[in-house]
Amino acid sequence: MAALLLLPLLLLLPLLLLKLHLWPQLRWLPADLAFAVRALCCKRALRARALAAAAADPEGPEGGCSLAWRLAELAQQRAAHTFLIHGSRRFSYSEAERESNRAARAFLRALGWDWGPDGGDSGEGSAGEGERAAPGAGDAAAGSGAEFAGGDGAARGGGAAAPLSPGATVALLLPAGPEFLWLWFGLAKAGLRTAFVPTALRRGPLLHCLRSCGARALVLAPEFLESLEPDLPALRAMGLHLWAAGPGTHPAGISDLLAEVSAEVDGPVPGYLSSPQSITDTCLYIFTSGTTGLPKAARISHLKILQCQGFYQLCGVHQEDVIYLALPLYHMSGSLLGIVGCMGIVVLKSKFSAGQFWEDCQQHRVTVFQYIGELCRYLVNQPPSKAERGHKVRLAVGSGLRPDTWERFVRRFGPLQVLETYGLTEGNVATINYTGQRGAVGRASWLYKHIFPFSLIRYDVTTGEPIRDPQGHCMATSPGEPGLLVAPVSQQSPFLGYAGGPELAQGKLLKDVFRPGDVFFNTGDLLVCDDQGFLRFHDRTGDTFRWKGENVATTEVAEVFEALDFLQEVNVYGVTVPGHEGRAGMAALVLRPPHALDLMQLYTHVSENLPPYARPRFLRLQESLATTETFKQQKVRMANEGFDPSTLSDPLYVLDQAVGAYLPLTTARYSALLAGNLRI
């Protein structure tokens, strides 16, 4: 009997020996299978929701596969359950539904609807009963500056602005809070597009964003009015409806939208208003927070909203979990993943406070923390507190967590699981590190790529283009080789681009990648897949630079610097040096209190851990690093500022190869460098 049991194994032994090189990946097969099953179940559930929405009564609130439909569904299923906690305020799903209904009616009144004294539709106005608003109607107008032809009713907050029209875009310039959500949901219910404007934008960048998405109205926070005062003439000249989201003494032509909302009844609005003509219609604009250039308005479709509804299900989060969200809602991570992806219990914070974080977690019994990598860094740099022990946090979900911070975070605040993800606002590909492997952003198993297809292709950082074979096709990378992450564009995974001209999407689509006629989305990110199938972020294509004929990845250099205990933060970038080819490395450093800068130890550490070409030639000591609103490091700005000691007030240092040390970059040494007398 034992021989019979061993016979199949003996027959399989040659095959196993031939495939022995696959063992590093096969050992993770159970985890890959478990996640694949979860992903397929999630896809099936989302497909069922879409079919149910399509079959619903279009006159009812459940009609149409949209965000509005999803909220109405949750209000029925979990009416009394807590949806949102903000400070001392709590809101159930039914309360969220009613508040967003009020907001929808206020916006519809601005479209020309006349609800009558009891809140019922009297059939008058530009979008009365029987006339359906077309959510896709404004696509061509976004970024074109075209005027809409509105109905007879005028928005009460609009002043001389033209009435809103069906499918128009309304921009929100608001901090994270319940009112942001009710207005966003209300706009969705009314069939209007929303544009999430980063709250720090003013003057030219603000006007650019509003023009690029074709906004016809702007809702702003009263506390922003003072800083926006110089912009008001230009905003009025654009013909925008201007509302303030709250009471106060407002300039002429700006009224309190929340007062108008509170005057409406909270009954549902017809579902057909928010029902898309196509699931790929644009329903939202989110501005990319790139580190250079003006923001671009990424088109977010109803399909992407639907897909984001499954985010936390993929992460293994349950309805009973309490999620701590302190990310900006104008960012995809906060709004689409944190709110739409959860729809559970959300503790929403208007601002992140590292000192208050663990006390909040204790108070609200938080179980899941959604992060951006820098938030975890802020936490590990805080002094120890009693509140950081005995908490209920079991899972941290997010992106951008560096390996060194990851290890410190888990060691100090664990036991908890870190689930690192990767994705782009406008992208059609995402990865999830469902195994919890430290430093990885996901896996490239054949199972995962079958469900969510992507590839890593060879890339030339000098030309900024993929490397192609003699037939003109791209080539896949080998294990351990950095490659450009690309994903096939299809009906299920489209790339909608940006509001405005097609030139904004230049370079985002690659053609004839593996076969003639195929089209792939170019993420612009370099990743590495190791021999076990784990994906690790390598660098942005624009951040990797060449020096001495070699490619230098800024992330790898930064990790070496961050191993020094006296450094708290590091930003590595390349700067141009007159008389030299390529770009020399430069590192902006922030010291960890109460440490001082030890240049001798730093030079020794860098020399031992980095090849000569990767060692930064310049150092810049700062009080804090410049970042974008979503905590991305400002590499381009820092590179443009250069290393001239006569224009920079920060302490600067230069690597003197002859001496073998980092020395203060004085005016004399700077002149010697330009003259070619100082070898770097």
Side-chain angles (χ1 to χ4, degrees), residues 501-516:
E503 69 278 0
L504 295 175
Q506 186 176 3
K508 284 296 183 182
L509 294 179
L510 300 175
K511 298 181 179 180
D512 305 327
V513 175
F514 292 116
R515 58 181 59 89

Side-chain angles (χ1 to χ4, degrees), residues 200-388:
L201 294 186
R202 299 293 186 272
R203 314 302 181 264
L206 171 61
L207 300 178
H208 161 81
C209 287
L210 296 174
R211 291 191 183 104
S212 67
C213 67
R216 289 296 170 264
L218 173 64
V219 184
L220 50 90
E223 59 266 32
F224 296 160
L225 274 170
E226 183 178 354
S227 62
L228 285 167
E229 188 174 355
D231 296 319
L232 292 180
L235 296 174
R236 292 191 178 100
M238 291 173 63
L240 293 175
H241 292 255
L242 297 176
W243 279 294
T249 303
H250 304 321
I254 302 179
S255 62
D256 181 3
L257 176 60
L258 296 188
E260 298 179 20
V261 169
S262 64
E264 301 288 349
V265 298
D266 61 8
V269 298
Y272 68 74
L273 292 170
S274 58
S275 178
Q277 295 176 345
S278 168
I279 200 167
T280 57
D281 283 346
T282 301
C283 64
L284 173 66
Y285 295 105
I286 296 181
F287 290 91
T288 58
S289 56
T291 55
T292 180
L294 291 170
K296 293 188 288 188
R299 297 181 183 273
I300 306 299
S301 67
H302 293 274
L303 174 61
K304 190 149 194 170
I305 294 286
L306 178 68
Q307 292 170 336
C308 288
Q309 291 174 20
F311 173 69
Y312 268 112
Q313 182 180 345
L314 284 176
C315 296
V317 175
H318 313 294
Q319 289 183 341
E320 297 76 20
D321 278 309
V322 180
I323 299 175
Y324 192 92
L325 182 63
L327 304 178
L329 291 180
Y330 57 75
H331 190 269
M332 177 182 170
S333 297
S335 54
L336 298 191
L337 302 184
I339 298 296
V340 176
C342 167
M343 290 298 190
I345 304 174
V346 180
V347 177
L348 180 64
K349 302 291 290 186
S350 297
K351 292 183 178 180
F352 178 77
S353 170
Q356 186 67 29
F357 175 78
W358 291 112
E359 292 182 12
D360 287 341
C361 290
Q362 294 275 10
Q363 178 184 351
H364 299 295
R365 302 180 69 83
V366 171
T367 57
V368 179
F369 166 44
Q370 187 174 340
Y371 67 82
I372 288 179
E374 289 304 302
L375 301 189
C376 298
R377 180 180 295 277
Y378 297 155
L379 290 173
V380 297
N381 287 332
Q382 285 289 301
S385 68
K386 293 181 180 179
E388 70 186 51

Side-chain angles (χ1 to χ4, degrees), residues 1 16 64 68 81 129 177 236 245 247 258 339 358 368 416 423 483 505 529 546 592 605 664 674:
M1 181 63 69
L16 292 174
H81 290 258
E129 185 176 356
R236 292 191 178 100
L258 296 188
I339 298 296
W358 291 112
V368 179
L416 54 80
C529 180
R546 286 182 70 81
R592 186 189 309 279
H605 177 76
L674 297 184

